[in-house]
Every structure is written in C-alpha cells, then in structure tokens.
Amino acid sequence: MIFDFNKDWLFCRQDGEPKTVTLPHDAMLEEPRQKNCHNGKDCGYFPGGKYSYEKHFAVPQEYPEQKVSILFEGVYQNAVVYLNGEPVAKHRYGYTEFTADITRKVRKGENFLRVTVDNSLEPNCRWYTGSGIYRPVHLMVKPKDGVRPVKIRTVSIAPAVVEVQTETEHAAVEIWDGAQCVAKGAPGVIEIPQAKLWDAEHSNLYTCVIKTENDEESVPFGIRTLAWSAKTGLCVNGKAVKLRGGCIHHDNGILGACGFADAEERRIRIMKKAGYNAVRCAHNPASRALLDACDRLGMYVMDEAFDGWYTPKTYHDYSRIFAENWQDDLTTMIAKDYSHPSVILYSIGNEVSETAFPQGVETADKLTRFVHALDDTRPVTAGINVLLNVYAQKGIGVYKESGPYKPEPLPPKQPEEKKKESGSTFFNMVTQNLGPLMFYMSKGKKGDAACRDVAEKLDVLGLNYAASRYEDDCKNYPNRLVVGSETIIGELPYNWAQVQKHTALIGDFAWAAIDYLGEAGIGQMIPQDTPGLPIAAGSGAIDLTGNITAESYFQQAVWSLRKAPYLGVRPVNWNGRKMTGSAWRMTNAVESWTWPGYEGQKATVEVYSDAEFVALYCNDKPVGKKRTKKFRAIFKLPYRPGTLKAVALDKSGNALGETTLQTAGQKTRLHLAPEKTTLRADGQSLCFIPITLTDAAGIWKPCANAKVHLEIEGPAALQALGSAATQTDETYLGSSHTTWLGRALAVIRAGTEPGKVRVTVTAEGYEPQYVDLTVE
C-alpha cells in the first residue's frame, strides 16, 4: 500500500516562524532575492538556506509488523530524516530520490517525523535549484514477504514478448490493457497477443499487475524495442527515428522547483504541441511525474545524471561528493527509469571537461560500464562541449581555488566582487561574446583530439554546440553514433539538414525548449532599461508561462511540420530603445499586429516557412515577395493598423498556406482561459489560468499591461501568479502581479475538500472577470 504523505507538514525556515504546508513545497521561492548573494544570476538571485519539515502521524497496530518506508522523490539538498528523534536516513544529492526505511523503528500510535534540509552552502549549482522537499513524499507499507521491486523490458515485438523481473517468490503476473486482462503467467517472459506497440506517435501503455497471497503491485509499461548503430541510426521497434529534441531544466517556471504531476504533464503536452518528440532532462534526473507524462503522451527522453563530475563548476557543487555518491545516484536514476518506455538514452554527464584528460576518459568508461551492468537495453551518452575541452587542455576556463576546499559558507559577497568564470559558465560567457564564430571553433584537429578518446567509451557521442564537427566526424568515424545534445535554435537549418543527411546523427536537442529560472538573462532580448532584477534565462522556445513563441514556430518550419507560415512582428513599441542581445535567442518577434500609438513607425516582420517563397500583404496591398533563406524572410514596412497577411508559395507561385494577423479593437478587457474546470480534492491538482489583455473579440494586445489581482473563494488556493518576464522585482507568491507583453498566468491548487471555487481577477480600469471551478 502506498499512502499520500504530503499533507500537514510543519515547515520552518532557520530562525523563522513555522507554518503548515502541503508538499511539494519550494522554500527557495520564499527567500527574498538578493543582488549580492553568492548564487547570483545562476540561481535568479535567490539565496539558499536551512529548513526543517515536521509531521506527526499515527499508525495502526499492525504497521510495526510490516515493511514500512518513506519515499522522498526530491529534496534539495543535504537531507537528514529523523523518526522519533532517531536519524533514519541521509541523502546529499538534491536531484535523486531516496527511501527512509523505518521498519522496526515506527511504533504503533503517534510518531514524529522530522526532515532537515541544508541548502545554505552556495553557490552549488549553475541554475535555479529550489530548496526543501520539492517533490512528493509517499508512505509505503508492505508485507515483509511482499512484492519486491519489479522491472519490465521488451524482449521482442514479433511476437510481442516482455520480461517481468522480480525477486518475489510465488508471484502471479497479469498484463492488462485498460480493463481487459490480455496475458497471465509467472515472472519471466510473457507473450502478449495482438500487442499494441509504444512509440512517440502511438503511446500505447499496458499495466503489469504482480500478485502474491498478501500483496499486489501495478507497473505501467510500454512494448517497444531499441536498437542503435552508426549504420542503422537509432531504431524504435525496428524503424529509424530522428529526435526533434529540446532541453529543459527541472523547474516549472513560476511554480519554482515544485514537481506537481499536473505541471509536469502540462510541460510535455505543450512540447508535443510545439512539435518536439524528445526531451533532454538537463542536467539532472527527471521526476517520476515527468516520465509518467512522457509515457502517456508519447515523448522520448534523454535522462541525465550529472552536470559535472569531480571538477567543480561552482564552489559547493556535486563535485565535492561525486567520488562517494555517483554509484548510488546512478543506480537510483536507472531503477526509476527502467520500466518507462519513454526513456531511450542515459546521459552520464553534461559538459564534463574532465573528458579532455585521461582520468576523465577513464571516468567516462567506468560510468558507462556501470550503467550497462544495470541496464543494457539503452545506449549511454554524455554532452561533450568540444570547445570547452580544447580550452581545458590549455588550462583556460578551468575552475581554480586558492587553498583547500572548506565545506562551510563563503564570506559575504561584496557588491563590487566579480568571480572568474569557469567550466560551462565560462563557455556561456565566451559564446555570448563570439556568437556565430562559435560554430567554427570546435572544428579541426584540436577539436577532434579533445573528444576522440571519450567518444570511444560512449555508445552515442553527445556534442554540445559542435555541429561543425558533424560532416567530418560522420566521414572519419564511420562507426560513431552522434547526437546534437545541445544546440542553438538559430542554427537548426544547418543542424537538421545534417541530421537528415547522416544516418549516424540521430537528432538535435535545442537549448532550450522551455524557459527556466536561473542563468538569469542569458537569453533575453528586451530593452536594456527594463526594470527589475533578472530572474529567468529568457532562452526558451516556450516561455516561462507556457506560451509557444516565435522560435518554436521557426523549429516547426525547419522540421516541415506546418504548411501555414508563421507571421511575427518585433515589438514596435521597443523601437529606438537599446536592446539586450543573446547568442541563445534569434528573435523576439510576437504574433501581433496591434501597436497603438506607433502608426507610421517601422515594423520588422518575420515570416517562417519551408516554402520556396513568401509574400506579405498589409491591408490587402502587396508589401513584397521574398525567397526564404534558412526558412525565414524579413520584411520592413510602416505600421498601419488593419490586416497583415503572409502567404507561403511554391516555386511556381502557387499558394501553400497563409497566416493573418488582425489589429485589435480599441476597448481592452481581461480574458481568462482556464485549462480545466474540474480538479481533484487531493491537494495536488492544479488549474492553470492564462490571463491575457485582449479586445472584445479576444485579440491579444501585447502593448497593454496591468497589475492583476486574484481572489479565490472555496476549497482551493493560489499557488503562483506571475508572467514570462525575465526581469522583475515581483514575487510569484503574491496575489498581485504585473502582466508582461499583456499576459500573466495564475495557478490554482485544489484543497482536500470538495466544493465550488470562484476565481476573480481584477485590475484597475478593467471590468472584473471570474471563472468557476469544481473540486471533487
């Protein structure tokens, strides 16, 4: 039996007042942001801290005779678990789950659980981490001779045969397709008649039920095989697959690090809509909920274990515990992933410049062999930044310390203090300055020497920002399998052409699919005088609140997933203002032809299409016709309200598709679009409500902004309210927030009692709007 263990925790910050929370909970969002904290822009200027969570729970008399444990899906970080004052578990890595075995320690009647979390040693990561118990917790009670861990793999697909692996004795196995039992047997190999296979286009799932006399466990799974070689590429169920991939971090935007199942599913659902078929979990293991969503919706997954090994990237990072922890953390990740059909690649590291040296190559070999011993059904990769390796061999960009490491807080950071960048952060800085030149700097003999040895230790060589190597490597190393593990979206036309040309190049993972907190401002293209402290990266093709942006539509054009052209306009109201620039972003265009007060001013219009030509019309008058270059055509014209239309044309001038933007009417209103209206009374169910400033017909007005305020009546609460702005001094935890480009997002969290909920949104000068929800 598995019990929800997320309600009624008493949370306390160090020296703070306790309050009752329901998990998951991100304590970092509650910290005041500090410009001079050691986490700096990497963590969105949020500091860490020390925290405690306490819970009283009662158990029936029979529990002490059972096997009782508590599963923590994610605690950031350095967690210690106490039961009735006695330590029962410790876990240091903030991104892998762990179990506290309390068998023979839990007592009948009242028990007291306490979890301490220490995220005060900063900096310890290169992006927003969150703090505290940010993923769900489960109380698991099983007979001592109950069902033991179950693993399921596909043996073959014609006929469909799966292997159910468990050490449980005298167990019976049933395979269910929905409400129908389709096969029975004992643990071992089981044939499934007329099986429906799983892949990203057909996400068919079965349920394996393992029963003993006194226990039962259900495991969802899909029937699919993997094969890989340079001659065949990556094959799913015997068919070659090319990965249209995107990288994501673990946070859920304005929800912070909280790993709600509904939020994880929403991310994957939006990625599917945007055209992705693969996601790279950068740079730490995915949550259970995200993998469940990928299984259900059909999304291939590269699950990544570490951002680094034994060389630091930040002062207090994982490198300090890598030697003693990597085996346990890899084992935990693989045990979590094994039965998920969506997981098709394991990555053992990101931009591990250690691989430029013999010791690092040996480490790659050791980790790869270790993974193979646990799971030989999936290939192993690592994201190798070739240029970073070249620099490392020259002693450039390598983390350097004055004196031995001290596991204690750094002295207060002075306002004028500047650190010398190293590792991946050093690469980001160089890329920002050199831009397109980076494409060529991984090419040549030095680049080859910097990645050649580690390539031999991996099943698939992952290349970060090294697409210039594709042509030569596929020619010179005919047995090497390659994936673009991290690339820039603006370079996709070249990258995708290479993916289509070379069988051995299995796909492309763009940075980034979804915007994220931390690495603040690295990808933003906004006016330099925008107020507020940077909080988000700004490099997502999908913004922080889930809006699909121009860059995502550009990807769709390159992938030939749309016939209608994309039509976007760079914000006309930003004309004449000095802009920030980014190597990670190619445009800030938006889908709007509504720029009141800027009539007659120059508008820059971008059209994306895989057609030979595009034509542009304003108020039915031709603006021009252009040949697309790298799937894009750019027009400049005076802004005139009315209708803007783009038409995709073949080489003979025949129309293939068109897209129209209409100027909004004068009156502005608040428009609410709840993504669901019924929630579960479990304290976990979420309703996402996009808030948009529009005209009466619902046409978006990006020039209009307002401070919106939310009030909630009924058994639900406001979990977060925010916008996609990459700079702000506002919190996501308040009941008011200012829109960005006319948009904001509210996230409502259901309580544990059924009832009716009304969410009312107001803003000065606007008519109030409301939505009604049901919690059941």
Side-chain angles (χ1 to χ4, degrees):
M1 295 180 290
I2 301 178
F3 297 93
D4 181 352
F5 215 52
N6 296 303
K7 304 182 189 72
D8 301 325
W9 287 80
L10 195 66
F11 164 75
C12 189
R13 294 169 57 189
Q14 187 177 26
D15 303 324
E17 292 294 322
K19 67 175 183 177
T20 301
V21 300
T22 298
L23 306 178
H25 172 254
D26 182 0
M28 184 172 273
L29 276 186
E30 300 180 13
E31 295 283 0
R33 296 170 71 207
Q34 301 171 11
K35 188 171 184 179
N36 294 319
C37 74
H38 284 292
N39 279 334
K41 67 178 184 298
D42 287 351
C43 222
Y45 299 96
F46 285 95
K50 294 182 179 181
Y51 316 95
S52 67
Y53 294 82
E54 299 177 355
K55 183 179 179 70
H56 291 268
F57 65 103
V59 300
Q61 184 171 351
E62 64 270 18
Y63 274 22
E65 305 304 317
Q66 307 284 313
K67 179 176 174 59
V68 186
S69 58
I70 304 172
L71 170 65
F72 295 85
E73 290 192 30
V75 182
Y76 204 93
Q77 61 175 343
N78 297 312
V80 183
V81 183
Y82 300 86
L83 180 68
N84 302 320
E86 178 186 353
V88 292
K90 293 182 179 181
H91 192 73
R92 300 183 71 178
Y93 192 29
Y95 291 121
T96 47
E97 61 186 37
F98 67 98
T99 299
D101 186 349
I102 57 175
T103 306
R104 295 186 297 275
K105 296 176 182 177
V106 66
R107 60 197 182 202
K108 63 181 179 181
E110 181 92 346
N111 286 263
F112 175 59
L113 188 69
R114 185 168 187 261
V115 182
T116 62
V117 182
D118 188 350
N119 190 26
S120 62
L121 297 180
E122 56 185 58
N124 60 61
C125 195
R126 298 188 301 109
W127 56 88
Y128 180 87
T129 61
S131 292
I133 308 178
Y134 67 97
R135 287 177 181 166
V137 179
H138 312 276
L139 177 67
M140 300 185 292
V141 182
K142 297 175 69 68
K144 291 182 179 178
D145 60 348
V147 175
R148 297 175 186 174
V150 177
K151 300 193 302 183
I152 303 170
R153 72 180 183 94
T154 302
V155 177
S156 64
I157 57 174
V161 176
V162 298
E163 182 182 28
V164 180
Q165 305 171 51
T166 178
E167 296 178 2
T168 309
E169 296 181 354
H170 311 298
V173 176
E174 297 174 352
I175 306 297
W176 290 80
D177 180 6
Q180 182 181 8
C181 182
V182 295
K184 295 182 178 181
V189 294
I190 297 177
E191 184 172 336
I192 301 174
Q194 299 178 322
K196 294 175 285 188
L197 304 184
W198 186 98
D199 60 28
E201 287 72 43
H202 312 88
S203 52
N204 302 303
L205 292 175
Y206 291 84
T207 302
C208 176
V209 180
I210 304 93
K211 297 180 178 181
T212 64
E213 288 185 358
N214 58 4
D215 196 18
E216 180 178 311
E217 188 166 325
S218 297
V219 180
F221 71 98
I223 301 171
R224 70 105 182 91
T225 57
L226 284 179
W228 57 92
S229 75
K231 291 184 179 180
T232 63
L234 177 69
C235 295
V236 177
N237 300 327
K239 298 179 181 178
V241 168
K242 296 293 189 178
L243 303 177
R244 303 188 305 271
C247 302
I248 62 172
H249 272 312
H250 75 297
D251 73 86
N252 274 295
I254 64 173
L255 290 167
C258 289
F260 293 99
D262 284 352
E264 300 286 53
E265 177 161 309
R266 181 178 188 257
R267 287 205 288 172
I268 300 305
R269 185 173 68 248
I270 294 171
M271 285 186 67
K272 285 282 288 189
K273 182 180 178 182
Y276 296 98
N277 69 358
V279 58
R280 177 190 179 208
C281 300
H283 304 292
N284 44 264
S287 69
R288 290 185 171 213
L290 187 130
L291 295 184
D292 289 342
C294 290
D295 289 346
R296 287 192 303 271
L297 299 177
M299 180 73 72
Y300 299 120
V301 177
M302 178 197 297
D303 209 4
E304 191 157 74
F306 313 117
D307 182 45
W309 295 340
Y310 51 79
T311 298
K313 292 185 178 180
T314 59
Y315 190 75
H316 292 291
D317 67 14
Y318 186 77
S319 65
R320 308 302 185 181
I321 61 172
F322 173 77
E324 57 190 290
N325 279 67
W326 70 264
Q327 293 189 40
D328 287 344
D329 289 325
L330 268 180
T331 300
T332 299
M333 183 184 86
I334 292 168
K336 169 180 61 68
D337 291 3
Y338 192 94
S339 299
H340 287 278
S342 56
V343 180
I344 61 167
L345 278 163
Y346 292 128
S347 172
I348 56 174
N350 168 66
E351 296 188 342
V352 276
S353 58
E354 294 94 329
T355 56
F357 307 98
Q359 182 186 351
V361 174
E362 291 175 12
T363 300
D365 185 44
K366 181 168 57 177
L367 269 62
T368 300
R369 290 177 184 274
F370 187 82
V371 172
H372 284 162
L374 295 172
D375 182 359
D376 61 0
T377 68
R378 297 170 171 96
V380 176
T381 187
I384 306 301
N385 188 313
V386 177
L387 184 60
L388 193 56
N389 278 22
V390 171
Y391 279 136
Q393 289 177 337
K394 296 179 178 180
I396 302 172
V398 179
Y399 194 95
K400 293 181 175 66
E401 294 173 356
S402 55
Y405 169 67
K406 296 179 181 180
E408 57 190 42
L410 294 169
K413 186 177 180 182
Q414 300 303 313
E416 69 279 0
E417 182 179 335
K418 290 186 179 181
K419 65 177 180 179
K420 194 170 184 179
E421 306 290 12
S422 63
S424 298
T425 308
F426 168 77
F427 173 80
N428 292 349
M429 180 187 70
V430 172
T431 302
Q432 196 76 288
N433 291 325
L434 295 180
L437 290 176
M438 294 297 300
F439 176 84
Y440 301 99
M441 296 179 70
S442 297
K443 198 174 170 67
K445 293 181 179 179
K446 290 182 180 179
D448 182 33
C451 66
R452 181 175 55 235
D453 291 343
V454 69
E456 295 176 359
K457 307 302 181 184
L458 302 168
D459 300 313
V460 182
L461 174 63
L463 290 177
N464 285 18
Y465 308 106
S468 58
R469 299 213 56 80
Y470 292 165
E471 194 77 57
D472 289 344
D473 282 10
C474 288
K475 176 183 176 181
N476 297 332
Y477 299 100
N479 294 319
R480 180 184 292 178
L481 204 58
V482 181
V483 64
S485 43
E486 194 168 316
T487 63
I488 291 173
I489 291 175
E491 297 174 356
L492 185 63
Y494 174 84
N495 296 349
W496 194 246
Q498 291 290 305
V499 169
Q500 292 177 305
K501 178 179 179 180
H502 299 289
T503 302
L505 184 55
I506 64 173
D508 177 274
F509 287 85
W511 193 269
I514 303 177
D515 202 16
Y516 53 94
L517 300 179
E519 288 194 316
I522 192 174
Q524 65 184 6
M525 293 179 69
I526 61 174
Q528 290 184 9
D529 58 1
T530 301
L533 198 60
I535 189 170
S539 57
I542 298 162
D543 75 19
L544 202 66
T545 56
N547 297 305
I548 297 173
T549 75
E551 291 200 332
S552 181
Y553 291 112
F554 175 74
Q555 291 176 297
Q556 293 175 33
V558 179
W559 292 329
S560 296
L561 295 182
R562 55 183 291 134
K563 291 298 180 187
Y566 169 80
L567 177 57
V569 182
R570 298 178 192 173
V572 181
N573 58 323
W574 290 350
N575 283 355
R577 296 167 71 181
K578 199 175 235 186
M579 304 293 291
T580 64
S582 172
W584 277 269
R585 191 154 204 92
M586 55 175 277
T587 184
N588 57 14
V590 297
E591 293 174 272
S592 179
W593 192 236
T594 301
W595 309 101
Y598 296 90
E599 291 78 7
Q601 292 199 24
K602 181 183 71 176
T604 301
V605 176
E606 301 192 21
V607 183
Y608 309 150
S609 176
D610 65 351
E612 191 89 9
F613 298 93
V614 293
L616 187 69
Y617 300 84
C618 183
N619 298 328
D620 295 325
K621 295 180 179 179
V623 174
K625 172 183 171 183
K626 290 191 176 184
R627 182 185 296 273
T628 55
K629 295 181 180 179
K630 297 182 179 180
F631 301 88
R632 179 162 64 162
I634 297 178
F635 299 84
K636 295 185 178 181
L637 68 156
Y639 168 62
R640 298 187 183 92
T643 302
L644 191 69
K645 181 173 71 174
V647 181
L649 306 168
D650 65 16
K651 62 177 66 177
S652 300
N654 300 309
L656 303 173
E658 67 177 53
T659 299
T660 300
L661 296 177
Q662 184 72 40
T663 300
Q666 281 193 330
K667 187 175 180 181
T668 306
R669 64 188 290 265
L670 295 169
H671 177 72
L672 311 184
E675 295 177 6
K676 67 168 73 166
T677 55
T678 302
L679 291 82
R680 304 177 304 277
D682 58 3
Q684 300 294 316
S685 185
L686 301 179
C687 174
F688 292 83
I689 306 177
I691 303 167
T692 310
L693 295 171
T694 72
D695 70 356
I699 299 176
W700 172 38
K701 293 184 155 188
C703 279
N705 280 300
K707 191 164 190 174
V708 297
H709 177 77
L710 260 74
E711 294 181 359
I712 300 175
E713 303 171 69
L718 178 62
Q719 183 65 29
L721 174 64
S723 75
T726 56
Q727 289 188 192
T728 181
D729 289 327
E730 295 180 285
T731 176
Y732 301 136
L733 301 179
S735 58
S736 299
H737 203 95
T738 305
T739 60
W740 171 255
L741 293 175
R743 287 171 167 165
L745 177 70
V747 186
I748 311 302
R749 183 177 187 174
T752 56
E753 298 294 331
K756 298 294 184 181
V757 175
R758 171 159 288 191
V759 180
T760 302
V761 181
T762 59
E764 186 177 351
Y766 295 91
E767 184 178 335
Q769 299 293 322
Y770 66 87
V771 295
D772 289 327
L773 309 173
T774 301
V775 179
E776 59 184 26

